[in-house]
Amino acid sequence: MTVHLSRKWRSRNFDELVGQELSIRLLKNSLFKGSFFPAYLFSGLRGSGKTSMGRIFAAAVNCAALDSFRHDPRTVVLPCNNCASCAALVAGQHPDFIEIDAASYTGVDNMRLIIENASLLPTLAARKIYLIDEAHMLSKAAFNAALKVLEEPPAHVIFILATTDPEKIIETVKSRCFQVFFDPIPKHVLVKHVQNIADVENIPYDQEGLTLIAQQAGGSARDALTTLERIALAQGDVTAGAVKAALGLVEESLIESLMSIILAQDTSGLMRFVKESLLLQHNPMIIWQMLTGALVKRLHRVTQSEEYDRLLALLRQSYEMESLLARTAMKAELVEYMLIRMSRCFIKGDAPIIEQSASSRPTMRQVPERVSSQVALPKKTGVSPEWDAFIELIKTKVEPLVLALFTSARVEYMPDRGVCLVKCLKEHELFKEWLDRSLAIWKPLLGQAFGASVEPVVSFVVIQENRHVDRPVSPGIKTIVQVNDKKNTSSIHSSDTVTQALKIFPGTIQELP
């Protein structure tokens, strides 16, 4: 049976791990001092060594060479991979090392079974180790069930949680763990690592080809080795041309030409260029990555403020497309739309905009005249000093897309209710999960700007037949509207009271507190 390179070359001791010097030093010091935490949380990029480190650390904790390592840590390799405990772990037969894929065991019942088994004494080694991979896939109920055992497990048990998405680990679990962060492996380290393996495996290569592999791996050793193996099987020699063909990479000269046409705002020329260069036959995600990278590079080189504003607007558009590209099955078509949109990004006079200026976009407060003349508005409407302060606070704290959502939103602050209504455009509803994911970051800052007790309610504006309907997507407030007329008197409980009531009753609408 053929063993793939990523498995064959998986690190078996601390010395073989690449690009994680700080993490290695932390765990080695823990072993040297014999100071173990009840639970560890390993978080970082896929393929950066989290699971391998978990197995190495688990083997080292029970290794027969641990005492020798404490006496002479500079010369003793840990784990030894030769003693009975290490050999059993390498063979996948260690009774006291339990590795669990959380994606397959997400429920609270699975966690309760783990807790029950943890109370049993180890049979072969001194400690029982649980390695829970992709821990962010556990349900909230499973996390809550694990809180007590993570904080005070039996003396013979250590838990290791590994995740690529630490934001999904609930804070109460994080606070009970010793967190170890795994950085993306630096490109030069990854090139050397791949080169050493190619030499041993007798895979022909050129240096430019290996550099491209490391660059496209984005800091993941597993991705780099998978690409190396794929190209070696398909092409034989790992050259720059072979890597570009296999990964669908675009020539840099093509991207530079594309940039020039976009900056010239030549939409018709852009369409001809895309067709003649067969640009969309390349990997759409690669086109996006290279174009975004080219924009960032050019942004660092500019000196004139006008050009800087242009590039910043283009870069913002590019980042807005990232989430959509990841979701859609029609990636080539979406990239084509993105390029056309970028070529039309500027109005006359070179003032940068994103489709429309924020002030010209329809928002909840820009209601039809018939409605606005009859409805009592909140005490604070539109952009307030508090909101300006909030935007300043989040500028360096949140992702560019989240910042864009807030800067294009409309705010209604009602201090008597302790509520801040944040009204985003309906067309941005696809990005709701970005707001949810970063809630723990921006909500405290909102409280800092408006007051600690303020509660944010996010909604998206829908435009239907020139009438605006507010559909809350976060838990919000139900308003009570009293409709008075000579013939009709009624109370309506709904979130779209204004438009719906005016369609039914000819009377006056007044919002009740």
Side-chain angles (χ1 to χ4, degrees):
M1 182 177 67
T2 302
V3 180
H4 296 296
L5 292 181
S6 58
R7 293 187 60 188
K8 181 178 179 180
W9 288 91
R10 171 169 272 171
S11 304
R12 295 174 299 173
N13 57 54
F14 289 112
D15 294 340
E16 292 180 0
L17 279 164
V18 295
Q20 303 299 341
E21 286 75 17
L22 178 59
S23 300
I24 292 169
R25 187 160 62 249
L26 285 171
L27 296 177
K28 272 191 169 184
N29 285 340
S30 179
L31 290 162
F32 176 72
K33 295 178 179 180
S35 175
F36 301 116
F37 290 84
Y40 294 81
L41 176 61
F42 294 174
S43 60
L45 178 77
R46 69 190 187 284
S48 58
K50 300 182 300 299
T51 307
S52 295
M53 181 77 89
R55 292 173 180 171
I56 291 168
F57 184 64
V61 167
N62 292 316
C63 182
L66 181 57
D67 288 338
S68 300
F69 172 79
R70 287 173 179 163
H71 285 95
D72 190 5
R74 295 182 183 276
T75 60
V76 176
V77 176
L78 203 69
C80 70
N81 292 319
N82 292 319
C83 66
S85 177
C86 288
L89 195 147
V90 170
Q93 299 174 349
H94 202 302
D96 303 320
F97 175 70
I98 301 94
E99 184 172 346
I100 299 165
D101 178 15
S104 304
Y105 297 91
T106 61
V108 66
D109 292 336
N110 302 120
M111 182 55 66
R112 286 173 180 156
L113 184 61
I114 292 171
I115 294 170
E116 290 174 7
N117 291 335
S119 62
L120 302 176
L121 291 172
T123 57
L124 177 63
R127 293 179 183 271
K128 183 178 287 189
I129 315 289
Y130 285 88
L131 174 57
I132 303 177
D133 204 7
E134 299 300 334
H136 62 272
M137 299 295 289
L138 291 173
S139 66
K140 188 174 182 180
F143 275 130
N144 288 328
L147 289 179
K148 186 65 177 176
V149 74
L150 288 176
E151 186 172 22
E152 297 178 0
H156 58 270
V157 174
I158 294 176
F159 285 94
I160 302 172
L161 282 63
T163 178
T164 55
D165 195 350
E167 296 301 321
K168 291 185 180 178
I169 306 292
I170 62 176
E171 291 299 324
T172 47
V173 168
K174 284 183 184 178
S175 65
R176 288 164 168 80
C177 297
F178 180 78
Q179 297 190 50
V180 181
F181 301 98
F182 288 72
D183 297 322
I185 302 171
K187 187 173 73 173
H188 70 279
V189 175
L190 204 48
V191 169
K192 185 177 180 181
H193 179 60
V194 174
Q195 183 175 344
N196 291 339
I197 292 173
D199 287 337
V200 176
E201 296 289 337
N202 295 316
I203 298 174
Y205 63 86
D206 64 27
Q207 203 61 39
E208 188 180 354
L210 296 186
T211 301
L212 278 174
I213 288 177
Q215 181 178 317
Q216 294 304 312
S220 169
R222 182 171 61 241
D223 287 2
L225 292 181
T226 300
T227 303
L228 175 70
E229 186 172 23
R230 183 167 58 139
I231 296 170
L233 290 173
Q235 307 285 348
D237 292 0
V238 181
T239 62
V243 174
K244 289 177 181 178
L247 298 182
L249 298 182
V250 186
E251 294 290 343
E252 290 187 7
S253 59
L254 207 61
I255 295 297
E256 287 299 323
S257 299
L258 187 63
M259 281 277 295
S260 299
I261 296 173
I262 289 173
L263 290 173
Q265 304 177 50
D266 183 5
T267 304
S268 58
L270 173 70
M271 297 303 296
R272 285 195 304 272
F273 177 79
V274 168
K275 183 178 180 180
E276 293 171 1
S277 65
L278 304 178
L279 179 69
L280 297 180
Q281 291 187 10
H282 294 83
N283 186 328
M285 287 302 295
I286 297 295
I287 297 173
W288 177 85
Q289 289 171 2
M290 294 187 70
L291 183 59
T292 303
L295 284 168
V296 171
K297 288 180 182 178
R298 186 170 293 213
L299 194 64
H300 290 162
R301 296 198 304 262
V302 299
T303 55
Q304 296 181 353
S305 59
E306 295 83 359
E307 187 179 358
Y308 185 88
D309 290 340
R310 282 188 169 194
L311 292 171
L312 200 61
L314 289 172
L315 193 60
R316 182 179 175 185
Q317 282 200 357
S318 181
Y319 281 129
E320 284 179 352
M321 285 295 166
E322 181 181 15
S323 179
L324 291 175
L325 272 172
R327 295 180 183 186
T328 184
M330 303 176 68
K331 287 181 168 53
E333 290 79 1
L334 187 58
V335 165
E336 185 174 15
Y337 162 73
M338 178 188 78
L339 297 176
I340 295 172
R341 187 168 174 244
M342 291 174 79
S343 71
R344 299 175 61 84
C345 181
F346 308 106
I347 60 173
K348 188 175 181 180
D350 294 340
I353 61 168
I354 305 299
E355 290 289 345
Q356 293 176 294
S357 63
S359 61
S360 67
R361 291 172 175 168
T363 65
M364 273 302 296
R365 300 317 312 163
Q366 294 173 333
V367 293
E369 183 178 351
R370 181 186 176 193
V371 177
S372 60
S373 64
Q374 296 174 325
V375 181
L377 299 180
K379 293 181 180 179
K380 292 188 179 182
T381 304
V383 178
S384 65
E386 295 91 346
W387 185 253
D388 292 340
F390 169 64
I391 294 298
E392 287 299 318
L393 286 171
I394 66 170
K395 272 185 178 179
T396 59
K397 306 292 185 185
V398 298
E399 297 171 279
L401 180 57
V402 175
L403 178 62
L405 288 175
F406 280 125
T407 53
S408 64
R410 194 77 166 168
V411 61
E412 297 178 13
Y413 176 39
M414 294 180 281
D416 53 331
R417 298 184 182 181
V419 170
C420 179
L421 298 179
V422 181
K423 306 202 172 185
C424 304
L425 294 176
K426 177 63 180 175
E427 65 194 72
H428 295 162
E429 191 169 11
L430 285 173
F431 306 116
K432 174 186 176 295
E433 68 178 63
W434 289 66
L435 292 178
D436 295 340
R437 195 165 59 200
S438 58
L439 179 67
I441 299 174
W442 62 260
K443 186 176 178 181
L445 298 176
L446 188 79
Q448 186 176 335
F450 284 86
S453 61
V454 71
E455 184 65 29
V457 178
V458 179
S459 59
F460 289 82
V461 175
V462 183
I463 303 173
Q464 294 178 342
E465 299 178 359
N466 204 33
R467 292 185 176 92
H468 296 261
V469 183
D470 186 24
R471 295 180 178 174
V473 294
S474 300
I477 304 168
K478 287 187 176 181
T479 58
I480 303 175
V481 174
Q482 184 75 39
V483 182
N484 298 315
D485 183 66
K486 295 179 181 179
K487 298 181 180 179
N488 298 305
T489 301
S490 176
S491 293
I492 303 171
H493 300 257
S494 95
S495 60
D496 57 349
T497 51
V498 174
T499 303
Q500 295 303 317
L502 285 174
K503 289 169 64 176
I504 301 171
F505 300 97
T508 302
I509 295 179
Q510 180 179 1
E511 183 177 356
L512 300 180

